[in-house]
Amino acid sequence: MNRKIIPNIPDIGYYGNETDFGVNILAATFQIAGTKMERSELAFYSGMANHFCWIKDNWVGSRACECFGNNNETPFGEELRLLKTIGWFAKYVNVSRDNNGKMLNTDEEQIKFDFVESIDKGYPILSRRTNNHRYNIVIGYEDDGRKIVRKEAVDEKGYHKDAETFVCENWENDILDYIVLIEPLEVVPERQRILEQLKLIITHARRTDKIRGFISSGFAAWEAYLHMLEHEDLSALPLDIPNKDSVNLRLGIYCDGLCQIWERHAALDYYRLLAEKYPEWREELNTAVAALDECSKYGGFLWTQGFSFDEKGYEKFRDPAARKILADEGRKAMHKDMEAIEQFEKILRKEGM
């Protein structure tokens, strides 16, 4: 029975930040497939260094907004766009199922064929499971594909951790969607792809309608996020009840939003590189770097104010006056985010776009 594992798999760290982990797993995928990019460059081209999504009036639903799939009308359209930009043709499959879990638009043999063919080429597969919004990467198979080998940053009890390797049986029962690298493409010229990405970042930031009818993005997401933070009445919520709505849960979801903001720092080195490489954009890029650096610091501001994941911290988060301090500081960060977007708009105007 055939068995194959892709060699030289890099470590994939999980540091408590879904946005950060999304970039890490993409970086590992491209490195394995032979397209190595600096992490700061990938943070820029993936859009994750400028990502912000939120669902108005819905704390729990907003939990998954820090992940890739909420950037676009078509879930995971961002990944396919990114792959094309940096030189890969890829296939995305969302597995539709009926109420009994039977696959409607594909079958086990087709998925197994996709996985085995990709592994045989040396290309990992980005995939997600039905009970986990986070990507894993499939790096091998056993028993002719009846078992798959994947790296995943969650253990059997659901705890987050650095990605580890698992051999999985009956994997067909829980696969939600996957992206397969098909073949390399000619890379889009650098200047063109930079300008196209800046245009996408601006569009995301300035968007006033909702993605798929319910997700706010950019500055609209900032406004919804900070309004909920300041004005939501948490007085009747328990401090902490496992698997139920509580102040602990709300604090955690607020921190999920902060993870998106913290990632503003991730592309700064790439912007600095571009400022040297393209002197005609230097002033704008340097101003944007300074603004994004300040904006990203909001990701850790709450720790300077005595918030913590314990009873004392939950009591503090339930206090409207304490949350107003967080919201006011968040508005300062939002204005820094706006300042950076304005600089990107200046670059596009210089280029007649």
Side-chain angles (χ1 to χ4, degrees):
M1 286 185 280
N2 289 337
R3 176 182 189 271
K4 185 165 184 178
I5 308 293
I6 297 174
N8 303 318
I9 304 298
D11 293 335
I12 308 172
Y14 177 83
Y15 307 111
N17 183 327
E18 294 295 335
T19 310
D20 179 82
F21 180 74
V23 178
N24 288 347
I25 203 163
L26 282 173
T29 300
F30 298 151
Q31 181 177 335
I32 296 164
T35 304
K36 188 172 182 180
M37 298 181 72
E38 294 297 327
R39 195 186 183 285
S40 62
E41 185 178 4
L42 183 55
F44 169 70
Y45 285 114
S46 69
M48 295 307 272
N50 297 91
H51 173 99
F52 196 60
C53 291
W54 197 257
I55 302 173
K56 184 179 179 181
D57 301 324
N58 189 330
W59 283 88
V60 176
S62 294
R63 162 138 275 176
C65 273
E66 59 182 312
C67 298
F68 265 107
N70 293 303
N71 275 22
N72 202 286
E73 292 298 337
T74 303
F76 304 99
E78 285 296 301
E79 287 89 332
L80 296 177
R81 176 201 57 76
L82 167 65
L83 287 164
K84 185 177 180 180
T85 297
I86 66 171
W88 280 98
F89 174 62
K91 179 175 80 169
Y92 168 69
V93 178
N94 178 270
V95 181
S96 300
R97 300 176 187 267
D98 64 18
N99 292 334
N100 297 316
K102 181 181 178 181
M103 297 180 188
L104 299 175
N105 62 329
T106 186
D107 56 48
E108 295 174 8
E109 289 304 313
Q110 179 61 54
I111 299 174
K112 188 191 302 179
F113 176 84
D114 285 346
F115 282 23
V116 168
E117 182 181 54
S118 184
I119 296 300
D120 284 346
K121 291 178 182 177
Y123 303 158
I125 300 99
L126 286 161
S127 76
R128 291 191 308 150
R129 297 188 289 120
T130 53
N131 62 348
N132 189 350
H133 60 269
R134 183 187 304 116
Y135 273 134
N136 59 75
I137 55 172
V138 179
I139 60 169
Y141 63 84
E142 296 183 356
D143 297 345
D144 302 315
R146 282 182 285 274
K147 298 177 184 178
I148 62 169
V149 183
R150 62 188 173 202
K151 287 188 76 71
E152 190 165 18
V154 64
D155 66 15
E156 63 277 3
K157 294 182 180 179
Y159 297 125
H160 301 164
K161 59 194 296 184
D162 290 350
E164 293 187 1
T165 303
F166 300 87
V167 178
C168 307
E169 299 184 68
N170 303 316
W171 53 268
E172 305 92 338
N173 297 329
D174 71 357
I175 190 165
L176 176 62
D177 52 20
Y178 62 93
I179 295 175
V180 180
L181 305 180
I182 303 298
E183 61 183 1
L185 297 172
E186 184 176 350
V187 179
V188 175
E190 183 183 62
R191 190 184 188 93
Q192 178 185 339
R193 66 176 187 256
I194 292 166
L195 293 171
E196 288 177 353
Q197 183 58 34
L198 290 178
K199 188 183 294 185
L200 283 169
I201 289 170
I202 292 165
T203 299
H204 177 81
R206 297 290 189 190
R207 185 168 181 169
T208 55
D209 63 327
K210 290 183 170 57
I211 299 170
R212 301 196 294 282
F214 64 97
I215 300 170
S216 297
S217 72
F219 303 135
W222 265 108
E223 294 283 3
Y225 174 71
L226 296 172
H227 185 271
M228 288 173 66
L229 173 66
E230 181 173 357
H231 297 289
E232 196 86 357
D233 183 4
L234 307 184
S235 61
L237 278 181
L239 289 181
D240 187 13
I241 297 182
N243 303 316
K244 291 191 177 181
D245 198 6
S246 65
V247 177
N248 174 18
L249 179 69
R250 301 290 179 93
L251 176 58
I253 296 170
Y254 166 66
C255 287
D256 289 343
L258 293 179
C259 286
Q260 299 180 70
I261 302 307
W262 169 244
E263 200 65 10
R264 296 292 187 270
H265 80 285
L268 297 185
D269 284 345
Y270 186 61
Y271 290 132
R272 293 184 182 106
L273 178 66
L274 294 181
E276 294 305 311
K277 195 169 185 178
Y278 298 96
E280 65 272 31
W281 303 340
R282 184 174 298 158
E283 181 179 351
E284 292 83 2
L285 287 171
N286 285 341
T287 302
V289 164
L292 291 170
D293 191 23
E294 284 300 311
C295 178
S296 71
K297 292 174 183 176
Y298 183 59
F301 177 76
L302 78 165
W303 309 125
T304 71
Q305 302 301 303
F307 290 90
S308 53
F309 279 95
D310 53 28
E311 185 171 333
K312 181 179 178 182
Y314 306 149
E315 287 282 12
K316 188 175 182 67
F317 195 69
R318 191 155 60 178
D319 178 9
R323 282 185 285 118
K324 186 177 188 312
I325 293 172
L326 295 179
D328 287 344
E329 189 67 19
R331 292 184 180 98
K332 295 177 186 177
M334 180 180 67
H335 285 111
K336 288 295 180 181
D337 209 16
M338 290 178 172
E339 185 179 336
I341 293 299
E342 289 167 357
Q343 299 306 311
F344 296 157
E345 289 170 331
K346 287 181 180 180
I347 290 173
L348 293 188
R349 285 197 295 271
K350 279 187 173 182
E351 299 297 321
M353 299 176 69

